[in-house]
Amino acid sequence: MNRLSLSVRHLFSHKNLAGKRLLIGIPYLWLLLFFLVPFAIVLKISFAEMAIAIPPYTRLFEYADESLIVVLNIGNYLFLADDDLYVNAYISSVTIAFNSTLLCLLLGYPMAYAMSKASKQMQITLLLLILLPSWTSFLIRIYAWMGILKNNGLINNFLMSMGIIDSPLIMLNTNFAVYIGIVYAYLPFMVLPLYANLMKHDGSLLEASADLGAKPWKTFLTVTLPLSRNGIIAGSMLVFIPSVGEFVIPELLGGPDTLMIGGVLWQEFFGNRDWPVASALAIVMLLLLILPMALFHHYQSQELEGRYPESVTS
């Protein structure tokens, strides 16, 4: 009987182990299929040369005279470093993404803080107000901003009817319009992680600070703000990373002076049909984002584990 019981337990333990491996293996399989395999294909193309053929690039591996020859062309990467257009596109993309992230933080933090202090019923209403715009097509919302920002749009008509301006302000097809579009589109990605972080703060720390005589603004600076560090970093990364490669907003709201890497990628892929250079552009852009992605992963792990910053715990 004991031997039978041990056998059954052994069988179930094996099933549990197989189930755990299957459960862990599914995300890795997903990552392999939808990230590593496409990345490997793009990396391979980046070392090829442009060709007038289908597909429009040369082969990386050639077999001739019973020998396998690997041809790695690093000229695409050298070309990117030599041409100011690509360097300026990277710098401009990072600058616009950084400024947009800062604007989202300045707007999103007060919104998230106010949401966390509201009543439960009001919190649900405010969350819906944050999420509702995203239920509409992203493209339609950006088209709506074109109507608001154009010369005879809502803002200019209002200002002129009030007598504040005599002639329309030029807002559409400028970097200003791009900032408006990016901040509008990605603000929820800043507010939601911050709100989730602020909701998890230990209220006893705020009470202790007040009992020790700290004023509200000092409690905010010394307790609330350090505690929300992980939420700030998570929200900033969620805004910064997609903003760097943004294509739709600069194309629809930006002007001739707007230079972002998403538009350059589009031009290389579909305009010049130079897939190797476009792939090299995408690989370099991904390398630029590795550090923010690693930071995001690190602080997201801390957020999930509920760790407090050392400045507060000490």
Side-chain angles (χ1 to χ4, degrees):
M1 185 67 180
N2 289 337
R3 198 173 284 180
L4 178 62
S5 173
L6 284 173
S7 299
V8 171
R9 190 176 299 174
H10 182 69
L11 180 63
F12 273 100
S13 67
H14 271 284
K15 282 187 175 179
N16 286 337
L17 184 61
K20 287 178 182 175
R21 286 178 177 172
L22 179 65
L23 193 64
I24 295 171
I26 289 173
Y28 281 100
L29 181 63
W30 183 273
L31 187 67
L32 177 70
L33 285 176
F34 295 102
F35 178 75
L36 292 180
V37 172
F39 175 78
I41 293 172
V42 173
L43 183 65
K44 182 185 78 106
I45 297 173
S46 72
F47 286 112
E49 293 182 31
M50 188 176 71
I52 303 175
I54 299 175
Y57 53 85
T58 57
R59 292 181 179 178
L60 204 63
F61 303 98
E62 290 182 2
Y63 183 77
D65 298 331
E66 299 181 351
S67 300
L68 181 63
I69 302 170
V70 181
V71 182
L72 291 178
N73 173 36
I74 61 170
N76 298 319
Y77 293 95
L78 297 176
F79 177 68
L80 296 184
D82 286 341
D83 197 323
D84 290 341
L85 170 69
Y86 304 110
V87 177
N88 291 335
Y90 283 121
I91 294 173
S92 177
S93 295
V94 171
T95 304
I96 290 175
F98 177 79
N99 292 337
S100 302
T101 303
L102 191 61
L103 289 170
C104 282
L105 179 61
L106 293 175
L107 289 171
Y109 198 100
M111 292 171 67
Y113 186 78
M115 286 170 63
S116 69
K117 298 299 178 186
S119 64
K120 292 292 180 187
Q121 189 172 2
M122 183 58 72
Q123 284 180 12
I124 295 172
T125 305
L126 294 173
L127 274 174
L128 278 175
L129 290 175
I130 293 290
L131 294 173
L132 271 176
S134 62
W135 295 357
T136 310
S137 167
F138 176 78
L139 199 57
I140 290 175
R141 285 184 282 147
I142 299 303
Y143 272 124
W145 272 108
M146 292 175 69
I148 294 171
L149 296 173
K150 63 185 181 181
N151 288 353
N152 59 348
L154 189 65
I155 294 177
N156 275 320
N157 285 340
F158 174 75
L159 294 176
M160 291 177 74
S161 66
M162 296 294 291
I164 298 174
I165 56 174
D166 296 326
S167 57
L169 298 173
I170 299 174
M171 294 180 284
L172 190 60
N173 299 327
T174 63
N175 282 348
F176 171 75
V178 175
Y179 280 118
I180 291 281
I182 292 179
V183 170
Y184 165 76
Y186 293 107
L187 188 59
F189 294 93
M190 178 67 78
V191 173
L192 294 178
L194 273 171
Y195 167 72
N197 177 279
L198 290 167
M199 286 298 293
K200 288 191 290 187
H201 287 186
D202 189 350
S204 61
L205 293 173
L206 304 178
E207 292 176 5
S209 177
D211 291 342
L212 291 172
K215 293 181 178 178
W217 63 268
K218 191 170 185 181
T219 300
F220 174 79
L221 290 177
T222 56
V223 179
T224 304
L225 196 59
L227 284 177
S228 56
R229 184 192 64 179
N230 291 341
I232 292 172
I233 293 174
S236 299
M237 293 302 103
L238 284 175
V239 174
F240 179 80
I241 291 172
S243 298
V244 171
E246 181 58 52
F247 169 71
V248 174
I249 295 173
E251 280 297 306
L252 295 180
L253 300 182
D257 295 333
T258 305
L259 182 63
M260 291 192 73
I261 202 64
V264 179
L265 268 172
W266 173 274
Q267 181 60 34
E268 291 294 344
F269 263 116
F270 300 101
N272 301 336
R273 287 188 61 78
D274 194 343
W275 287 23
V277 167
S279 300
L281 268 170
I283 293 294
V284 173
M285 185 177 72
L286 189 62
L287 292 176
L288 285 175
L289 294 176
I290 281 180
L291 180 61
M293 289 167 74
L295 279 174
F296 172 67
H297 177 72
H298 172 72
Y299 285 105
Q300 192 182 38
S301 301
Q302 284 193 349
E303 180 79 10
L304 291 173
E305 292 172 6
R307 293 182 191 170
Y308 286 155
E310 292 179 1
S311 58
V312 175
T313 53
S314 60

